[in-house]
Amino acid sequence: MENKKRYEGIDVSHWDDGIDFESVKNAGVSVVYMKASEGAAYIDPNFEKNYRGALKAGLKIGFYHFVTARSIEEARQEAQHFAQVIDGKEYQSCPVMDFESFGDLTKEQVNEISLVFLQELQTATGGRVAIYSDSSNAANLFDKRLSEYPLWIAEYNVIRPSMKNPWKNWAGWQYTDSGQVSGISGPVDRNYFKKDMLKRQLKDFCL
């Protein structure tokens, strides 16, 4: 049965500066995803500051990594980098692969890189991991081999996200990139998250 409970969430990066996380929590947000890393060496400049602020405010924390890999070996390196960046941090939500810039990669290459990244990340972190995608890529690019991982889908200006893709249900839904939240001066990505995004332990899932 699909879990109906939704948690209000935001996702942030260095583009969202000067966040008052106490105000964010008081506004009804309970989950914050933050960009941790990109590529094989980059760390988001606001990562530590965002982490400390969200932790102090008692928010449920999740991390995501922006993938730039163009080969399987680069995918492994990026997954290891991401795992190292978040190692030792407290977080309740699945670490997420954000792969949306593909260059001239073929569909098969995109899926192979994605699978290797997710498998390597799951091994490195010892817990469940998830994938972020817009509705178009989820439907037309990513294949059913990825559907064992929880899907955080982005689709705006709709009543509900389109699930004409290999996944049965969404675990996260980014429903706008122009949301307003107390404690953040500019527009921010707003999301709903279900419990599937908040279960890090592999034993919590029946695959």
PDB file of all heavy atoms in Angstrom, residues 67-102:
ATOM      1  N   VAL A  67      25.776  14.663 -10.257  1.00  0.00           N
ATOM      2  CA  VAL A  67      26.653  13.776 -11.019  1.00  0.00           C
ATOM      3  C   VAL A  67      27.104  14.442 -12.324  1.00  0.00           C
ATOM      4  O   VAL A  67      26.279  14.992 -13.067  1.00  0.00           O
ATOM      5  CB  VAL A  67      25.943  12.444 -11.331  1.00  0.00           C
ATOM      6  CG1 VAL A  67      26.787  11.578 -12.255  1.00  0.00           C
ATOM      7  CG2 VAL A  67      25.636  11.692 -10.038  1.00  0.00           C
ATOM      8  N   THR A  68      28.396  14.362 -12.590  1.00  0.00           N
ATOM      9  CA  THR A  68      28.951  14.848 -13.858  1.00  0.00           C
ATOM     10  C   THR A  68      29.692  13.740 -14.605  1.00  0.00           C
ATOM     11  O   THR A  68      30.306  13.998 -15.643  1.00  0.00           O
ATOM     12  CB  THR A  68      29.922  16.017 -13.624  1.00  0.00           C
ATOM     13  OG1 THR A  68      31.031  15.573 -12.827  1.00  0.00           O
ATOM     14  CG2 THR A  68      29.226  17.180 -12.923  1.00  0.00           C
ATOM     15  N   ALA A  69      29.649  12.529 -14.094  1.00  0.00           N
ATOM     16  CA  ALA A  69      30.421  11.402 -14.651  1.00  0.00           C
ATOM     17  C   ALA A  69      30.085  11.153 -16.117  1.00  0.00           C
ATOM     18  O   ALA A  69      28.933  11.276 -16.538  1.00  0.00           O
ATOM     19  CB  ALA A  69      30.162  10.143 -13.840  1.00  0.00           C
ATOM     20  N   ARG A  70      31.105  10.746 -16.871  1.00  0.00           N
ATOM     21  CA  ARG A  70      30.930  10.367 -18.260  1.00  0.00           C
ATOM     22  C   ARG A  70      31.415   8.951 -18.532  1.00  0.00           C
ATOM     23  O   ARG A  70      31.493   8.513 -19.677  1.00  0.00           O
ATOM     24  CB  ARG A  70      31.676  11.356 -19.174  1.00  0.00           C
ATOM     25  CG  ARG A  70      31.093  12.773 -19.161  1.00  0.00           C
ATOM     26  CD  ARG A  70      29.676  12.788 -19.719  1.00  0.00           C
ATOM     27  NE  ARG A  70      29.056  14.122 -19.719  1.00  0.00           N
ATOM     28  CZ  ARG A  70      28.231  14.551 -18.790  1.00  0.00           C
ATOM     29  NH1 ARG A  70      27.926  13.766 -17.748  1.00  0.00           N
ATOM     30  NH2 ARG A  70      27.693  15.742 -18.854  1.00  0.00           N
ATOM     31  N   SER A  71      31.727   8.237 -17.458  1.00  0.00           N
ATOM     32  CA  SER A  71      32.161   6.843 -17.574  1.00  0.00           C
ATOM     33  C   SER A  71      31.825   6.106 -16.284  1.00  0.00           C
ATOM     34  O   SER A  71      31.551   6.735 -15.255  1.00  0.00           O
ATOM     35  CB  SER A  71      33.665   6.752 -17.835  1.00  0.00           C
ATOM     36  OG  SER A  71      34.393   7.162 -16.684  1.00  0.00           O
ATOM     37  N   ILE A  72      31.876   4.799 -16.342  1.00  0.00           N
ATOM     38  CA  ILE A  72      31.602   3.985 -15.161  1.00  0.00           C
ATOM     39  C   ILE A  72      32.634   4.243 -14.074  1.00  0.00           C
ATOM     40  O   ILE A  72      32.302   4.335 -12.884  1.00  0.00           O
ATOM     41  CB  ILE A  72      31.542   2.500 -15.551  1.00  0.00           C
ATOM     42  CG1 ILE A  72      30.242   2.214 -16.305  1.00  0.00           C
ATOM     43  CG2 ILE A  72      31.652   1.596 -14.324  1.00  0.00           C
ATOM     44  CD1 ILE A  72      30.128   0.819 -16.840  1.00  0.00           C
ATOM     45  N   GLU A  73      33.897   4.378 -14.463  1.00  0.00           N
ATOM     46  CA  GLU A  73      34.941   4.633 -13.467  1.00  0.00           C
ATOM     47  C   GLU A  73      34.730   5.987 -12.795  1.00  0.00           C
ATOM     48  O   GLU A  73      34.889   6.112 -11.569  1.00  0.00           O
ATOM     49  CB  GLU A  73      36.322   4.579 -14.115  1.00  0.00           C
ATOM     50  CG  GLU A  73      37.470   4.802 -13.141  1.00  0.00           C
ATOM     51  CD  GLU A  73      37.424   3.868 -11.939  1.00  0.00           C
ATOM     52  OE1 GLU A  73      37.064   2.684 -12.095  1.00  0.00           O
ATOM     53  OE2 GLU A  73      37.757   4.335 -10.820  1.00  0.00           O
ATOM     54  N   GLU A  74      34.356   6.987 -13.561  1.00  0.00           N
ATOM     55  CA  GLU A  74      34.072   8.294 -12.961  1.00  0.00           C
ATOM     56  C   GLU A  74      32.860   8.217 -12.040  1.00  0.00           C
ATOM     57  O   GLU A  74      32.818   8.900 -11.011  1.00  0.00           O
ATOM     58  CB  GLU A  74      33.844   9.333 -14.061  1.00  0.00           C
ATOM     59  CG  GLU A  74      35.112   9.715 -14.798  1.00  0.00           C
ATOM     60  CD  GLU A  74      34.867  10.732 -15.906  1.00  0.00           C
ATOM     61  OE1 GLU A  74      33.687  11.093 -16.138  1.00  0.00           O
ATOM     62  OE2 GLU A  74      35.850  11.156 -16.529  1.00  0.00           O
ATOM     63  N   ALA A  75      31.884   7.385 -12.388  1.00  0.00           N
ATOM     64  CA  ALA A  75      30.713   7.202 -11.521  1.00  0.00           C
ATOM     65  C   ALA A  75      31.131   6.637 -10.170  1.00  0.00           C
ATOM     66  O   ALA A  75      30.652   7.086  -9.122  1.00  0.00           O
ATOM     67  CB  ALA A  75      29.702   6.274 -12.197  1.00  0.00           C
ATOM     68  N   ARG A  76      32.019   5.660 -10.187  1.00  0.00           N
ATOM     69  CA  ARG A  76      32.519   5.088  -8.922  1.00  0.00           C
ATOM     70  C   ARG A  76      33.250   6.141  -8.105  1.00  0.00           C
ATOM     71  O   ARG A  76      33.065   6.249  -6.886  1.00  0.00           O
ATOM     72  CB  ARG A  76      33.453   3.913  -9.214  1.00  0.00           C
ATOM     73  CG  ARG A  76      32.761   2.675  -9.756  1.00  0.00           C
ATOM     74  CD  ARG A  76      33.670   1.460  -9.669  1.00  0.00           C
ATOM     75  NE  ARG A  76      33.022   0.286 -10.202  1.00  0.00           N
ATOM     76  CZ  ARG A  76      33.176  -0.179 -11.438  1.00  0.00           C
ATOM     77  NH1 ARG A  76      33.995   0.453 -12.275  1.00  0.00           N
ATOM     78  NH2 ARG A  76      32.545  -1.258 -11.849  1.00  0.00           N
ATOM     79  N   GLN A  77      34.096   6.913  -8.760  1.00  0.00           N
ATOM     80  CA  GLN A  77      34.859   7.955  -8.060  1.00  0.00           C
ATOM     81  C   GLN A  77      33.930   8.985  -7.428  1.00  0.00           C
ATOM     82  O   GLN A  77      34.146   9.406  -6.279  1.00  0.00           O
ATOM     83  CB  GLN A  77      35.819   8.629  -9.035  1.00  0.00           C
ATOM     84  CG  GLN A  77      36.944   7.737  -9.525  1.00  0.00           C
ATOM     85  CD  GLN A  77      37.752   8.381 -10.641  1.00  0.00           C
ATOM     86  OE1 GLN A  77      37.449   9.482 -11.097  1.00  0.00           O
ATOM     87  NE2 GLN A  77      38.797   7.700 -11.085  1.00  0.00           N
ATOM     88  N   GLU A  78      32.883   9.379  -8.161  1.00  0.00           N
ATOM     89  CA  GLU A  78      31.955  10.376  -7.630  1.00  0.00           C
ATOM     90  C   GLU A  78      31.153   9.837  -6.453  1.00  0.00           C
ATOM     91  O   GLU A  78      30.913  10.543  -5.477  1.00  0.00           O
ATOM     92  CB  GLU A  78      31.023  10.865  -8.741  1.00  0.00           C
ATOM     93  CG  GLU A  78      31.747  11.690  -9.785  1.00  0.00           C
ATOM     94  CD  GLU A  78      30.804  12.499 -10.654  1.00  0.00           C
ATOM     95  OE1 GLU A  78      29.666  12.786 -10.220  1.00  0.00           O
ATOM     96  OE2 GLU A  78      31.214  12.864 -11.771  1.00  0.00           O
ATOM     97  N   ALA A  79      30.739   8.585  -6.541  1.00  0.00           N
ATOM     98  CA  ALA A  79      30.001   7.977  -5.431  1.00  0.00           C
ATOM     99  C   ALA A  79      30.866   7.903  -4.178  1.00  0.00           C
ATOM    100  O   ALA A  79      30.394   8.177  -3.062  1.00  0.00           O
ATOM    101  CB  ALA A  79      29.507   6.594  -5.833  1.00  0.00           C
ATOM    102  N   GLN A  80      32.124   7.556  -4.364  1.00  0.00           N
ATOM    103  CA  GLN A  80      33.045   7.482  -3.224  1.00  0.00           C
ATOM    104  C   GLN A  80      33.283   8.863  -2.632  1.00  0.00           C
ATOM    105  O   GLN A  80      33.352   9.021  -1.407  1.00  0.00           O
ATOM    106  CB  GLN A  80      34.361   6.840  -3.674  1.00  0.00           C
ATOM    107  CG  GLN A  80      34.235   5.367  -4.021  1.00  0.00           C
ATOM    108  CD  GLN A  80      35.425   4.829  -4.782  1.00  0.00           C
ATOM    109  OE1 GLN A  80      36.415   5.541  -5.008  1.00  0.00           O
ATOM    110  NE2 GLN A  80      35.356   3.570  -5.193  1.00  0.00           N
ATOM    111  N   HIS A  81      33.411   9.863  -3.501  1.00  0.00           N
ATOM    112  CA  HIS A  81      33.581  11.242  -3.026  1.00  0.00           C
ATOM    113  C   HIS A  81      32.378  11.685  -2.204  1.00  0.00           C
ATOM    114  O   HIS A  81      32.525  12.217  -1.095  1.00  0.00           O
ATOM    115  CB  HIS A  81      33.787  12.169  -4.221  1.00  0.00           C
ATOM    116  CG  HIS A  81      33.757  13.621  -3.894  1.00  0.00           C
ATOM    117  ND1 HIS A  81      34.592  14.206  -2.944  1.00  0.00           N
ATOM    118  CD2 HIS A  81      32.991  14.640  -4.380  1.00  0.00           C
ATOM    119  CE1 HIS A  81      34.341  15.493  -2.866  1.00  0.00           C
ATOM    120  NE2 HIS A  81      33.365  15.789  -3.718  1.00  0.00           N
ATOM    121  N   PHE A  82      31.180  11.460  -2.721  1.00  0.00           N
ATOM    122  CA  PHE A  82      29.944  11.810  -2.012  1.00  0.00           C
ATOM    123  C   PHE A  82      29.896  11.126  -0.654  1.00  0.00           C
ATOM    124  O   PHE A  82      29.611  11.760   0.378  1.00  0.00           O
ATOM    125  CB  PHE A  82      28.759  11.411  -2.883  1.00  0.00           C
ATOM    126  CG  PHE A  82      27.398  11.757  -2.338  1.00  0.00           C
ATOM    127  CD1 PHE A  82      27.204  12.773  -1.422  1.00  0.00           C
ATOM    128  CD2 PHE A  82      26.278  11.054  -2.773  1.00  0.00           C
ATOM    129  CE1 PHE A  82      25.932  13.091  -0.938  1.00  0.00           C
ATOM    130  CE2 PHE A  82      25.006  11.354  -2.305  1.00  0.00           C
ATOM    131  CZ  PHE A  82      24.838  12.374  -1.386  1.00  0.00           C
ATOM    132  N   ALA A  83      30.180   9.826  -0.640  1.00  0.00           N
ATOM    133  CA  ALA A  83      30.135   9.062   0.613  1.00  0.00           C
ATOM    134  C   ALA A  83      31.137   9.612   1.627  1.00  0.00           C
ATOM    135  O   ALA A  83      30.846   9.673   2.832  1.00  0.00           O
ATOM    136  CB  ALA A  83      30.407   7.593   0.338  1.00  0.00           C
ATOM    137  N   GLN A  84      32.303  10.027   1.156  1.00  0.00           N
ATOM    138  CA  GLN A  84      33.321  10.574   2.058  1.00  0.00           C
ATOM    139  C   GLN A  84      32.879  11.921   2.633  1.00  0.00           C
ATOM    140  O   GLN A  84      33.106  12.214   3.808  1.00  0.00           O
ATOM    141  CB  GLN A  84      34.644  10.721   1.313  1.00  0.00           C
ATOM    142  CG  GLN A  84      35.316   9.398   1.005  1.00  0.00           C
ATOM    143  CD  GLN A  84      36.495   9.542   0.062  1.00  0.00           C
ATOM    144  OE1 GLN A  84      36.807  10.648  -0.407  1.00  0.00           O
ATOM    145  NE2 GLN A  84      37.163   8.433  -0.241  1.00  0.00           N
ATOM    146  N   VAL A  85      32.235  12.733   1.797  1.00  0.00           N
ATOM    147  CA  VAL A  85      31.795  14.058   2.246  1.00  0.00           C
ATOM    148  C   VAL A  85      30.755  13.950   3.360  1.00  0.00           C
ATOM    149  O   VAL A  85      30.775  14.727   4.321  1.00  0.00           O
ATOM    150  CB  VAL A  85      31.228  14.867   1.055  1.00  0.00           C
ATOM    151  CG1 VAL A  85      30.556  16.155   1.540  1.00  0.00           C
ATOM    152  CG2 VAL A  85      32.336  15.206   0.069  1.00  0.00           C
ATOM    153  N   ILE A  86      29.841  12.985   3.253  1.00  0.00           N
ATOM    154  CA  ILE A  86      28.767  12.878   4.246  1.00  0.00           C
ATOM    155  C   ILE A  86      29.095  11.890   5.368  1.00  0.00           C
ATOM    156  O   ILE A  86      28.316  11.755   6.313  1.00  0.00           O
ATOM    157  CB  ILE A  86      27.429  12.489   3.585  1.00  0.00           C
ATOM    158  CG1 ILE A  86      27.497  11.080   2.969  1.00  0.00           C
ATOM    159  CG2 ILE A  86      27.038  13.519   2.536  1.00  0.00           C
ATOM    160  CD1 ILE A  86      26.165  10.606   2.382  1.00  0.00           C
ATOM    161  N   ASP A  87      30.242  11.246   5.286  1.00  0.00           N
ATOM    162  CA  ASP A  87      30.633  10.278   6.321  1.00  0.00           C
ATOM    163  C   ASP A  87      30.741  10.973   7.677  1.00  0.00           C
ATOM    164  O   ASP A  87      31.330  12.046   7.806  1.00  0.00           O
ATOM    165  CB  ASP A  87      31.975   9.645   5.955  1.00  0.00           C
ATOM    166  CG  ASP A  87      32.381   8.563   6.950  1.00  0.00           C
ATOM    167  OD1 ASP A  87      31.535   7.724   7.304  1.00  0.00           O
ATOM    168  OD2 ASP A  87      33.554   8.573   7.388  1.00  0.00           O
ATOM    169  N   GLY A  88      30.145  10.371   8.682  1.00  0.00           N
ATOM    170  CA  GLY A  88      30.195  10.923  10.034  1.00  0.00           C
ATOM    171  C   GLY A  88      29.112  11.939  10.333  1.00  0.00           C
ATOM    172  O   GLY A  88      28.968  12.368  11.480  1.00  0.00           O
ATOM    173  N   LYS A  89      28.348  12.328   9.313  1.00  0.00           N
ATOM    174  CA  LYS A  89      27.257  13.278   9.516  1.00  0.00           C
ATOM    175  C   LYS A  89      25.993  12.532   9.972  1.00  0.00           C
ATOM    176  O   LYS A  89      25.804  11.364   9.679  1.00  0.00           O
ATOM    177  CB  LYS A  89      26.956  14.026   8.213  1.00  0.00           C
ATOM    178  CG  LYS A  89      28.107  14.893   7.707  1.00  0.00           C
ATOM    179  CD  LYS A  89      28.281  16.117   8.564  1.00  0.00           C
ATOM    180  CE  LYS A  89      29.173  17.169   7.922  1.00  0.00           C
ATOM    181  NZ  LYS A  89      30.595  16.786   7.832  1.00  0.00           N
ATOM    182  N   GLU A  90      25.141  13.251  10.704  1.00  0.00           N
ATOM    183  CA  GLU A  90      23.842  12.698  11.089  1.00  0.00           C
ATOM    184  C   GLU A  90      22.827  13.010   9.996  1.00  0.00           C
ATOM    185  O   GLU A  90      22.672  14.173   9.607  1.00  0.00           O
ATOM    186  CB  GLU A  90      23.379  13.315  12.407  1.00  0.00           C
ATOM    187  CG  GLU A  90      24.221  12.946  13.614  1.00  0.00           C
ATOM    188  CD  GLU A  90      23.654  13.542  14.892  1.00  0.00           C
ATOM    189  OE1 GLU A  90      22.422  13.715  14.977  1.00  0.00           O
ATOM    190  OE2 GLU A  90      24.454  13.854  15.796  1.00  0.00           O
ATOM    191  N   TYR A  91      22.180  11.986   9.486  1.00  0.00           N
ATOM    192  CA  TYR A  91      21.139  12.225   8.484  1.00  0.00           C
ATOM    193  C   TYR A  91      20.134  11.089   8.528  1.00  0.00           C
ATOM    194  O   TYR A  91      20.472   9.944   8.808  1.00  0.00           O
ATOM    195  CB  TYR A  91      21.720  12.404   7.083  1.00  0.00           C
ATOM    196  CG  TYR A  91      22.564  11.279   6.532  1.00  0.00           C
ATOM    197  CD1 TYR A  91      22.042  10.383   5.597  1.00  0.00           C
ATOM    198  CD2 TYR A  91      23.898  11.116   6.902  1.00  0.00           C
ATOM    199  CE1 TYR A  91      22.818   9.370   5.055  1.00  0.00           C
ATOM    200  CE2 TYR A  91      24.680  10.106   6.373  1.00  0.00           C
ATOM    201  CZ  TYR A  91      24.141   9.241   5.446  1.00  0.00           C
ATOM    202  OH  TYR A  91      24.913   8.231   4.915  1.00  0.00           O
ATOM    203  N   GLN A  92      18.891  11.441   8.256  1.00  0.00           N
ATOM    204  CA  GLN A  92      17.787  10.498   8.355  1.00  0.00           C
ATOM    205  C   GLN A  92      17.258  10.068   6.990  1.00  0.00           C
ATOM    206  O   GLN A  92      16.544   9.076   6.895  1.00  0.00           O
ATOM    207  CB  GLN A  92      16.631  11.122   9.147  1.00  0.00           C
ATOM    208  CG  GLN A  92      16.969  11.481  10.580  1.00  0.00           C
ATOM    209  CD  GLN A  92      17.843  12.722  10.707  1.00  0.00           C
ATOM    210  OE1 GLN A  92      17.726  13.656   9.924  1.00  0.00           O
ATOM    211  NE2 GLN A  92      18.732  12.703  11.693  1.00  0.00           N
ATOM    212  N   SER A  93      17.581  10.813   5.955  1.00  0.00           N
ATOM    213  CA  SER A  93      17.005  10.581   4.636  1.00  0.00           C
ATOM    214  C   SER A  93      18.023   9.945   3.691  1.00  0.00           C
ATOM    215  O   SER A  93      19.231  10.126   3.847  1.00  0.00           O
ATOM    216  CB  SER A  93      16.510  11.903   4.046  1.00  0.00           C
ATOM    217  OG  SER A  93      15.620  12.539   4.928  1.00  0.00           O
ATOM    218  N   CYS A  94      17.512   9.236   2.705  1.00  0.00           N
ATOM    219  CA  CYS A  94      18.379   8.538   1.753  1.00  0.00           C
ATOM    220  C   CYS A  94      19.301   9.508   1.014  1.00  0.00           C
ATOM    221  O   CYS A  94      18.822  10.517   0.485  1.00  0.00           O
ATOM    222  CB  CYS A  94      17.533   7.813   0.701  1.00  0.00           C
ATOM    223  SG  CYS A  94      16.418   6.561   1.322  1.00  0.00           S
ATOM    224  N   PRO A  95      20.591   9.228   0.932  1.00  0.00           N
ATOM    225  CA  PRO A  95      21.457  10.015   0.050  1.00  0.00           C
ATOM    226  C   PRO A  95      20.972   9.895  -1.397  1.00  0.00           C
ATOM    227  O   PRO A  95      20.556   8.814  -1.830  1.00  0.00           O
ATOM    228  CB  PRO A  95      22.834   9.372   0.234  1.00  0.00           C
ATOM    229  CG  PRO A  95      22.759   8.669   1.550  1.00  0.00           C
ATOM    230  CD  PRO A  95      21.344   8.199   1.667  1.00  0.00           C
ATOM    231  N   VAL A  96      21.039  10.981  -2.148  1.00  0.00           N
ATOM    232  CA  VAL A  96      20.387  11.057  -3.458  1.00  0.00           C
ATOM    233  C   VAL A  96      21.379  11.345  -4.580  1.00  0.00           C
ATOM    234  O   VAL A  96      22.264  12.197  -4.448  1.00  0.00           O
ATOM    235  CB  VAL A  96      19.295  12.141  -3.432  1.00  0.00           C
ATOM    236  CG1 VAL A  96      18.788  12.460  -4.840  1.00  0.00           C
ATOM    237  CG2 VAL A  96      18.135  11.704  -2.546  1.00  0.00           C
ATOM    238  N   MET A  97      21.174  10.644  -5.693  1.00  0.00           N
ATOM    239  CA  MET A  97      21.877  10.919  -6.940  1.00  0.00           C
ATOM    240  C   MET A  97      21.059  11.893  -7.771  1.00  0.00           C
ATOM    241  O   MET A  97      19.920  11.614  -8.122  1.00  0.00           O
ATOM    242  CB  MET A  97      22.075   9.624  -7.745  1.00  0.00           C
ATOM    243  CG  MET A  97      22.717   9.862  -9.117  1.00  0.00           C
ATOM    244  SD  MET A  97      22.692   8.412 -10.213  1.00  0.00           S
ATOM    245  CE  MET A  97      20.971   8.420 -10.754  1.00  0.00           C
ATOM    246  N   ASP A  98      21.648  13.036  -8.100  1.00  0.00           N
ATOM    247  CA  ASP A  98      21.034  14.025  -8.993  1.00  0.00           C
ATOM    248  C   ASP A  98      21.826  14.003 -10.301  1.00  0.00           C
ATOM    249  O   ASP A  98      22.899  14.591 -10.404  1.00  0.00           O
ATOM    250  CB  ASP A  98      21.077  15.407  -8.346  1.00  0.00           C
ATOM    251  CG  ASP A  98      20.505  16.505  -9.236  1.00  0.00           C
ATOM    252  OD1 ASP A  98      20.025  16.182 -10.344  1.00  0.00           O
ATOM    253  OD2 ASP A  98      20.558  17.671  -8.831  1.00  0.00           O
ATOM    254  N   PHE A  99      21.316  13.293 -11.293  1.00  0.00           N
ATOM    255  CA  PHE A  99      21.990  13.140 -12.586  1.00  0.00           C
ATOM    256  C   PHE A  99      21.054  13.695 -13.646  1.00  0.00           C
ATOM    257  O   PHE A  99      20.046  13.078 -13.988  1.00  0.00           O
ATOM    258  CB  PHE A  99      22.286  11.656 -12.828  1.00  0.00           C
ATOM    259  CG  PHE A  99      23.224  11.364 -13.983  1.00  0.00           C
ATOM    260  CD1 PHE A  99      23.980  12.364 -14.575  1.00  0.00           C
ATOM    261  CD2 PHE A  99      23.358  10.069 -14.457  1.00  0.00           C
ATOM    262  CE1 PHE A  99      24.849  12.080 -15.623  1.00  0.00           C
ATOM    263  CE2 PHE A  99      24.212   9.769 -15.496  1.00  0.00           C
ATOM    264  CZ  PHE A  99      24.965  10.777 -16.085  1.00  0.00           C
ATOM    265  N   GLU A 100      21.384  14.875 -14.155  1.00  0.00           N
ATOM    266  CA  GLU A 100      20.484  15.533 -15.101  1.00  0.00           C
ATOM    267  C   GLU A 100      21.208  16.237 -16.242  1.00  0.00           C
ATOM    268  O   GLU A 100      20.576  16.803 -17.134  1.00  0.00           O
ATOM    269  CB  GLU A 100      19.591  16.538 -14.367  1.00  0.00           C
ATOM    270  CG  GLU A 100      20.358  17.586 -13.565  1.00  0.00           C
ATOM    271  CD  GLU A 100      19.455  18.489 -12.748  1.00  0.00           C
ATOM    272  OE1 GLU A 100      18.970  19.477 -13.328  1.00  0.00           O
ATOM    273  OE2 GLU A 100      19.227  18.203 -11.549  1.00  0.00           O
ATOM    274  N   SER A 101      22.530  16.214 -16.227  1.00  0.00           N
ATOM    275  CA  SER A 101      23.331  16.810 -17.289  1.00  0.00           C
ATOM    276  C   SER A 101      24.107  15.687 -17.971  1.00  0.00           C
ATOM    277  O   SER A 101      25.048  15.138 -17.406  1.00  0.00           O
ATOM    278  CB  SER A 101      24.291  17.858 -16.704  1.00  0.00           C
ATOM    279  OG  SER A 101      25.090  18.418 -17.722  1.00  0.00           O
ATOM    280  N   PHE A 102      23.707  15.336 -19.205  1.00  0.00           N
ATOM    281  CA  PHE A 102      24.177  14.092 -19.819  1.00  0.00           C
ATOM    282  C   PHE A 102      25.142  14.264 -20.982  1.00  0.00           C
ATOM    283  O   PHE A 102      25.706  13.280 -21.464  1.00  0.00           O
ATOM    284  CB  PHE A 102      22.974  13.279 -20.302  1.00  0.00           C
ATOM    285  CG  PHE A 102      21.910  13.089 -19.261  1.00  0.00           C
ATOM    286  CD1 PHE A 102      20.661  13.662 -19.407  1.00  0.00           C
ATOM    287  CD2 PHE A 102      22.162  12.359 -18.104  1.00  0.00           C
ATOM    288  CE1 PHE A 102      19.675  13.503 -18.450  1.00  0.00           C
ATOM    289  CE2 PHE A 102      21.190  12.187 -17.139  1.00  0.00           C
ATOM    290  CZ  PHE A 102      19.945  12.761 -17.311  1.00  0.00           C
TER     291      PHE A 102
END
